[in-house]
Amino acid sequence: MNDILINKTTSSFKETFGAEPAKIVISPGRINIIGEHIDYNDGYVLPAAIDKVICFAFAKNNTNTSRVIALDLNDEFEIDVTAEVKLDDNSWTNYIRGVINQLKINGFQFEGVNCVFSSNIPVGSGLSSSAALECGFLFGINDLFNLNIKPIDIALLGQKAEHWVGIKCGIMDQFSSVMGQEDKVIKIDCRTLEYTYHDADFSDYSLILFDSNVKHSLMTSAYNERRQQCEEGIAIVKANFPEIKSFRDCTEQTIIDLKDKMSHDVFRRSLFVVKEINRVIQACEALDNGNIEFLGELMFATHEGLSKDYEVSCEELDLLVDLAKEETAVIGSRLMGGGFGGCTINLVKKGQEQQIKDKFSKLYNDSFGIELKIYDVKVSNGTSLYTK
């Protein structure tokens, strides 16, 4: 599948600029197996890079102006890399502008490039196409001009570029896009950025994403509200247990003992966070032990918490998970990402994938009159140079 994308991108580069690209970069999207809404609570996340990617073709052009062409959008822009970088109304260009801005702020010396990119990451599906765009462009500039930026610093610069655009994301998306390894998930400590790899052998099961094809407008306001409620919750914990620094240091009983000191919502949010942090630890053990059925149980438990306690689900996502619970061929399912739309991630018995896809598509359309988008994904390598 990616061979077609690579050929399309490189052919377009050659047509436009009259020469072969000097570098071809592949930068993937990501999934998160478990660990939702805890990156901003000093927790752990368990993402992986996937085989949905952005392909970039690069070459130096020996000027101060970069020309960047987005094939899928039939759009392009030029930017003087020596001038002050400002946000633009053409939103996709801001991720590239943000990268150039970060390189300039950090004193890296580089010049203009010609760049063509194309993607098979579904936009708006929660697979972090923006992180792949930032990190892939950064990776290419780093390699072209021998800037010697370490992979983890590419991820951090990508995150800062997205913050500059105005999206206060955690580090998970850029980190997994850059640091991913084939058939491995990454347990990332969001407090220290320490990380460990764990085998992503899902045995007799396939990873399938069901895209609800909806995105409810509550997302931004609800996200900010949840963060504020978590801050209130940990402040109450610290006031009563000064030795505790974050939810990482809490047990479920710690939160239960403080129930009367918290509002109903703050209590439920706090309890979810502590449970979810523990589920990530259990998920790593399950993968290490080859206990994929237990991993599936943890995914179902996470969705229950996200829906009932953290209240970031919606009826479309809940229906998809409820359908999954009724199928012996599906051993785990949950909403993935911020919530209020986007995808569920599912572990489906090999050999029964098409049957499940057909059934869910019909039932979902019958319920909401919405087409269910479906993506098969495999755990893949992080951002890298492509060589023929």
Side-chain angles (χ1 to χ4, degrees):
M1 179 175 61
N2 289 339
D3 288 344
I4 296 169
L5 184 72
I6 292 163
N7 289 336
K8 180 177 86 167
T9 308
T10 52
S11 296
S12 176
F13 185 96
K14 190 173 180 180
E15 279 177 34
T16 305
F17 298 109
E20 295 283 349
K23 306 283 183 182
I24 299 169
V25 173
I26 303 297
S27 191
R30 66 100 189 97
I31 53 172
N32 187 27
I33 303 298
I34 202 164
E36 217 64 81
H37 282 281
I38 55 173
D39 56 339
Y40 52 85
N41 284 303
D42 284 343
Y44 307 101
V45 288
L46 197 63
I50 55 171
D51 58 347
K52 301 280 190 285
V53 304
I54 301 178
C55 175
F56 299 81
F58 285 97
K60 296 179 183 180
N61 62 23
N62 302 311
T63 75
N64 288 326
T65 300
S66 286
R67 183 181 174 194
V68 183
I69 299 172
L71 272 189
D72 309 318
L73 300 174
N74 194 26
D75 197 9
E76 65 175 273
F77 81 110
E78 292 187 353
I79 180 169
D80 182 344
V81 300
T82 65
E84 181 185 355
V85 185
K86 296 180 180 178
L87 288 167
D88 190 86
D89 291 339
N90 194 357
S91 59
W92 73 265
T93 71
N94 288 326
Y95 298 102
I96 304 294
R97 295 175 197 274
V99 166
I100 291 170
N101 189 51
Q102 286 304 316
L103 289 169
K104 286 162 66 74
I105 287 171
N106 287 278
F108 290 106
Q109 299 298 311
F110 62 102
E111 297 173 359
V113 298
N114 295 328
C115 175
V116 175
F117 71 88
S118 184
S119 173
N120 57 26
I121 303 173
V123 176
S125 57
L127 302 183
S128 294
S129 55
S130 60
L133 183 58
E134 295 147 0
C135 295
F137 191 78
L138 256 168
F139 191 98
I141 300 295
N142 182 48
D143 202 86
L144 270 176
F145 295 97
N146 299 311
L147 302 181
N148 297 315
I149 306 173
K150 296 175 183 175
I152 196 163
D153 290 325
I154 289 177
L156 290 165
L157 287 169
Q159 180 194 26
K160 287 176 182 173
E162 191 141 340
H163 288 179
W164 180 82
V165 172
I167 302 163
K168 303 300 182 187
C169 59
I171 189 58
M172 177 177 71
D173 296 351
Q174 290 81 6
F175 197 106
S176 44
S177 185
V178 175
M179 305 292 287
Q181 290 186 6
E182 188 173 4
D183 296 329
K184 301 280 186 183
V185 295
I186 320 168
K187 180 190 174 192
I188 308 170
D189 183 330
C190 295
R191 182 159 64 184
T192 66
L193 287 191
E194 292 175 331
Y195 59 98
T196 53
Y197 291 98
H198 298 264
D199 287 337
D201 179 4
F202 299 109
S203 183
D204 298 327
Y205 300 92
S206 298
L207 275 176
I208 299 177
L209 307 181
F210 291 120
D211 187 344
S212 66
N213 218 357
V214 299
K215 181 59 76 174
H216 293 287
S217 58
L218 286 168
M219 179 58 214
T220 303
S221 60
Y223 176 85
N224 292 336
E225 182 184 54
R226 298 303 181 278
R227 289 197 69 151
Q228 185 273 323
Q229 289 167 336
C230 289
E231 288 165 7
E232 186 178 333
I234 195 61
I236 291 168
V237 171
K238 288 177 179 178
N240 287 271
F241 300 100
E243 70 278 9
I244 289 178
K245 304 301 181 201
S246 77
F247 284 119
R248 280 262 289 279
D249 309 318
C250 297
T251 64
E252 290 179 34
Q253 194 60 47
T254 308
I255 306 300
I256 292 167
D257 289 345
L258 294 172
K259 183 176 181 179
D260 293 342
K261 297 181 184 296
M262 297 179 178
S263 71
H264 180 61
D265 284 345
V266 168
F267 169 73
R268 288 187 300 153
R269 311 303 187 235
S270 301
L271 189 59
F272 167 80
V273 169
V274 173
K275 287 181 176 180
E276 185 72 349
I277 289 170
N278 289 332
R279 277 190 285 264
V280 177
I281 296 167
Q282 291 177 294
C284 290
E285 293 171 354
L287 282 168
D288 292 343
N289 296 327
N291 191 350
I292 307 307
E293 288 75 14
F294 183 54
L295 175 65
E297 291 174 21
L298 293 169
M299 290 166 67
F300 278 130
T302 287
H303 184 82
E304 184 75 9
L306 287 167
S307 179
K308 301 294 191 294
D309 290 332
Y310 220 69
E311 296 183 292
V312 292
S313 190
C314 58
E315 59 178 338
E316 294 91 349
L317 292 170
D318 285 343
L319 174 72
L320 289 170
V321 175
D322 286 344
L323 290 174
K325 286 178 181 174
E326 295 170 7
E327 300 290 337
T328 55
V330 187
I331 59 163
S333 178
R334 68 173 192 86
L335 78 83
M336 186 181 73
F340 301 107
C343 292
T344 63
I345 180 171
N346 304 266
L347 285 168
V348 181
K349 183 80 172 175
K350 287 179 180 174
Q352 299 190 44
E353 297 99 332
Q354 195 58 50
Q355 174 190 336
I356 293 294
K357 290 174 185 177
D358 292 344
K359 184 174 183 179
F360 281 32
S361 293
K362 182 181 185 307
L363 292 170
Y364 188 75
N365 200 312
D366 289 348
S367 297
F368 298 109
I370 300 171
E371 178 192 1
L372 185 65
K373 294 181 180 176
I374 301 171
Y375 313 119
D376 297 291
V377 295
K378 288 186 168 58
V379 175
S380 191
N381 284 317
T383 305
S384 59
L385 280 181
Y386 171 80
T387 52
K388 294 180 181 179

mmCIF file of all heavy atoms in Angstrom, residues 17 20 28 36 60 70 114 127 135 169 182 238 247 252 319 353-354 359:
data_model
loop_
_atom_site.group_PDB
_atom_site.id
_atom_site.type_symbol
_atom_site.label_atom_id
_atom_site.label_comp_id
_atom_site.label_asym_id
_atom_site.label_seq_id
_atom_site.Cartn_x
_atom_site.Cartn_y
_atom_site.Cartn_z
ATOM 1 N N PHE A 17 9.737 19.433 -10.257
ATOM 2 C CA PHE A 17 11.052 20.056 -10.100
ATOM 3 C C PHE A 17 12.088 19.560 -11.109
ATOM 4 O O PHE A 17 13.231 20.038 -11.118
ATOM 5 C CB PHE A 17 11.562 19.844 -8.674
ATOM 6 C CG PHE A 17 10.672 20.475 -7.634
ATOM 7 C CD1 PHE A 17 9.886 19.686 -6.789
ATOM 8 C CD2 PHE A 17 10.601 21.856 -7.499
ATOM 9 C CE1 PHE A 17 9.064 20.257 -5.838
ATOM 10 C CE2 PHE A 17 9.779 22.431 -6.555
ATOM 11 C CZ PHE A 17 9.007 21.637 -5.718
ATOM 12 N N GLU A 20 15.118 13.963 -9.572
ATOM 13 C CA GLU A 20 14.758 13.015 -8.516
ATOM 14 C C GLU A 20 14.933 13.673 -7.149
ATOM 15 O O GLU A 20 15.838 14.507 -6.972
ATOM 16 C CB GLU A 20 15.664 11.777 -8.585
ATOM 17 C CG GLU A 20 15.497 10.940 -9.832
ATOM 18 C CD GLU A 20 14.250 10.075 -9.813
ATOM 19 O OE1 GLU A 20 13.615 9.976 -8.738
ATOM 20 O OE2 GLU A 20 13.908 9.518 -10.872
ATOM 21 N N PRO A 28 4.881 7.967 10.186
ATOM 22 C CA PRO A 28 3.606 7.288 10.427
ATOM 23 C C PRO A 28 2.667 8.026 11.381
ATOM 24 O O PRO A 28 3.077 8.846 12.205
ATOM 25 C CB PRO A 28 4.063 5.974 11.079
ATOM 26 C CG PRO A 28 5.269 6.379 11.863
ATOM 27 C CD PRO A 28 5.955 7.444 11.032
ATOM 28 N N GLU A 36 -5.723 6.511 28.267
ATOM 29 C CA GLU A 36 -6.360 7.680 27.660
ATOM 30 C C GLU A 36 -6.624 8.748 28.713
ATOM 31 O O GLU A 36 -7.030 8.436 29.837
ATOM 32 C CB GLU A 36 -7.680 7.249 27.007
ATOM 33 C CG GLU A 36 -7.988 7.951 25.710
ATOM 34 C CD GLU A 36 -6.976 7.636 24.613
ATOM 35 O OE1 GLU A 36 -7.085 6.584 23.981
ATOM 36 O OE2 GLU A 36 -6.075 8.469 24.380
ATOM 37 N N LYS A 60 17.303 19.980 -1.490
ATOM 38 C CA LYS A 60 17.719 21.368 -1.309
ATOM 39 C C LYS A 60 17.457 22.128 -2.607
ATOM 40 O O LYS A 60 17.537 21.560 -3.705
ATOM 41 C CB LYS A 60 19.216 21.445 -0.999
ATOM 42 C CG LYS A 60 19.644 20.800 0.298
ATOM 43 C CD LYS A 60 21.162 20.938 0.445
ATOM 44 C CE LYS A 60 21.666 20.243 1.705
ATOM 45 N NZ LYS A 60 23.131 20.367 1.849
ATOM 46 N N ALA A 70 1.344 20.068 -1.017
ATOM 47 C CA ALA A 70 0.490 19.041 -0.407
ATOM 48 C C ALA A 70 -0.344 18.401 -1.517
ATOM 49 O O ALA A 70 -1.347 18.965 -1.957
ATOM 50 C CB ALA A 70 -0.408 19.661 0.658
ATOM 51 N N ASN A 114 12.794 22.102 -1.619
ATOM 52 C CA ASN A 114 11.600 21.713 -2.360
ATOM 53 C C ASN A 114 11.051 20.463 -1.700
ATOM 54 O O ASN A 114 11.817 19.541 -1.384
ATOM 55 C CB ASN A 114 11.932 21.431 -3.827
ATOM 56 C CG ASN A 114 12.396 22.676 -4.561
ATOM 57 O OD1 ASN A 114 11.963 23.789 -4.249
ATOM 58 N ND2 ASN A 114 13.275 22.503 -5.553
ATOM 59 N N LEU A 127 -5.675 9.655 14.331
ATOM 60 C CA LEU A 127 -4.439 8.893 14.131
ATOM 61 C C LEU A 127 -3.214 9.795 14.044
ATOM 62 O O LEU A 127 -2.141 9.373 13.629
ATOM 63 C CB LEU A 127 -4.551 8.028 12.873
ATOM 64 C CG LEU A 127 -5.714 7.032 12.860
ATOM 65 C CD1 LEU A 127 -5.677 6.191 11.595
ATOM 66 C CD2 LEU A 127 -5.671 6.141 14.083
ATOM 67 N N CYS A 135 6.779 15.803 12.305
ATOM 68 C CA CYS A 135 7.990 15.006 12.541
ATOM 69 C C CYS A 135 8.632 14.564 11.235
ATOM 70 O O CYS A 135 9.867 14.494 11.133
ATOM 71 C CB CYS A 135 7.659 13.809 13.424
ATOM 72 S SG CYS A 135 7.143 14.304 15.094
ATOM 73 N N CYS A 169 -1.019 19.852 22.812
ATOM 74 C CA CYS A 169 -0.987 18.391 22.877
ATOM 75 C C CYS A 169 0.073 17.912 23.872
ATOM 76 O O CYS A 169 1.014 18.630 24.200
ATOM 77 C CB CYS A 169 -0.682 17.813 21.500
ATOM 78 S SG CYS A 169 0.903 18.363 20.820
ATOM 79 N N GLU A 182 8.604 -1.564 14.568
ATOM 80 C CA GLU A 182 7.709 -2.590 14.045
ATOM 81 C C GLU A 182 7.437 -3.662 15.096
ATOM 82 O O GLU A 182 8.359 -4.140 15.768
ATOM 83 C CB GLU A 182 8.323 -3.230 12.796
ATOM 84 C CG GLU A 182 7.387 -4.175 12.069
ATOM 85 C CD GLU A 182 7.957 -4.664 10.752
ATOM 86 O OE1 GLU A 182 9.118 -4.326 10.430
ATOM 87 O OE2 GLU A 182 7.232 -5.389 10.051
ATOM 88 N N LYS A 238 -3.284 16.211 47.564
ATOM 89 C CA LYS A 238 -2.038 16.738 48.139
ATOM 90 C C LYS A 238 -2.281 17.448 49.464
ATOM 91 O O LYS A 238 -1.444 17.383 50.384
ATOM 92 C CB LYS A 238 -1.382 17.713 47.154
ATOM 93 C CG LYS A 238 -0.765 17.050 45.932
ATOM 94 C CD LYS A 238 -0.224 18.123 44.997
ATOM 95 C CE LYS A 238 0.417 17.525 43.762
ATOM 96 N NZ LYS A 238 0.902 18.569 42.823
ATOM 97 N N PHE A 247 -1.252 11.686 40.731
ATOM 98 C CA PHE A 247 -2.137 10.523 40.759
ATOM 99 C C PHE A 247 -1.359 9.218 40.664
ATOM 100 O O PHE A 247 -1.849 8.169 41.066
ATOM 101 C CB PHE A 247 -3.153 10.606 39.608
ATOM 102 C CG PHE A 247 -4.270 11.585 39.846
ATOM 103 C CD1 PHE A 247 -4.446 12.671 38.993
ATOM 104 C CD2 PHE A 247 -5.159 11.423 40.904
ATOM 105 C CE1 PHE A 247 -5.487 13.570 39.194
ATOM 106 C CE2 PHE A 247 -6.200 12.317 41.112
ATOM 107 C CZ PHE A 247 -6.362 13.400 40.262
ATOM 108 N N GLU A 252 -6.506 3.398 44.484
ATOM 109 C CA GLU A 252 -7.941 3.680 44.383
ATOM 110 C C GLU A 252 -8.501 4.076 45.751
ATOM 111 O O GLU A 252 -9.352 4.965 45.856
ATOM 112 C CB GLU A 252 -8.675 2.454 43.836
ATOM 113 C CG GLU A 252 -8.379 2.161 42.375
ATOM 114 C CD GLU A 252 -9.110 0.929 41.878
ATOM 115 O OE1 GLU A 252 -10.243 0.683 42.338
ATOM 116 O OE2 GLU A 252 -8.546 0.210 41.034
ATOM 117 N N LEU A 319 -22.318 2.694 21.082
ATOM 118 C CA LEU A 319 -22.959 1.640 20.304
ATOM 119 C C LEU A 319 -21.907 0.689 19.721
ATOM 120 O O LEU A 319 -22.065 -0.538 19.773
ATOM 121 C CB LEU A 319 -23.798 2.222 19.173
ATOM 122 C CG LEU A 319 -24.391 1.160 18.229
ATOM 123 C CD1 LEU A 319 -25.518 0.395 18.915
ATOM 124 C CD2 LEU A 319 -24.862 1.747 16.912
ATOM 125 N N GLU A 353 -12.731 -11.167 10.512
ATOM 126 C CA GLU A 353 -12.709 -9.707 10.363
ATOM 127 C C GLU A 353 -13.811 -9.205 9.426
ATOM 128 O O GLU A 353 -14.543 -8.262 9.766
ATOM 129 C CB GLU A 353 -11.351 -9.226 9.824
ATOM 130 C CG GLU A 353 -10.173 -9.504 10.754
ATOM 131 C CD GLU A 353 -9.393 -10.742 10.340
ATOM 132 O OE1 GLU A 353 -10.011 -11.657 9.732
ATOM 133 O OE2 GLU A 353 -8.186 -10.796 10.609
ATOM 134 N N GLN A 354 -13.943 -9.821 8.257
ATOM 135 C CA GLN A 354 -14.908 -9.308 7.276
ATOM 136 C C GLN A 354 -16.339 -9.451 7.760
ATOM 137 O O GLN A 354 -17.173 -8.551 7.558
ATOM 138 C CB GLN A 354 -14.736 -10.025 5.926
ATOM 139 C CG GLN A 354 -15.446 -9.319 4.772
ATOM 140 C CD GLN A 354 -14.972 -7.879 4.597
ATOM 141 O OE1 GLN A 354 -13.768 -7.610 4.533
ATOM 142 N NE2 GLN A 354 -15.915 -6.939 4.540
ATOM 143 N N LYS A 359 -21.187 -6.663 9.535
ATOM 144 C CA LYS A 359 -22.268 -6.591 10.523
ATOM 145 C C LYS A 359 -22.307 -5.229 11.203
ATOM 146 O O LYS A 359 -23.365 -4.597 11.318
ATOM 147 C CB LYS A 359 -22.093 -7.706 11.559
ATOM 148 C CG LYS A 359 -23.217 -7.787 12.577
ATOM 149 C CD LYS A 359 -23.053 -9.013 13.475
ATOM 150 C CE LYS A 359 -24.226 -9.136 14.439
ATOM 151 N NZ LYS A 359 -24.088 -10.343 15.296
#
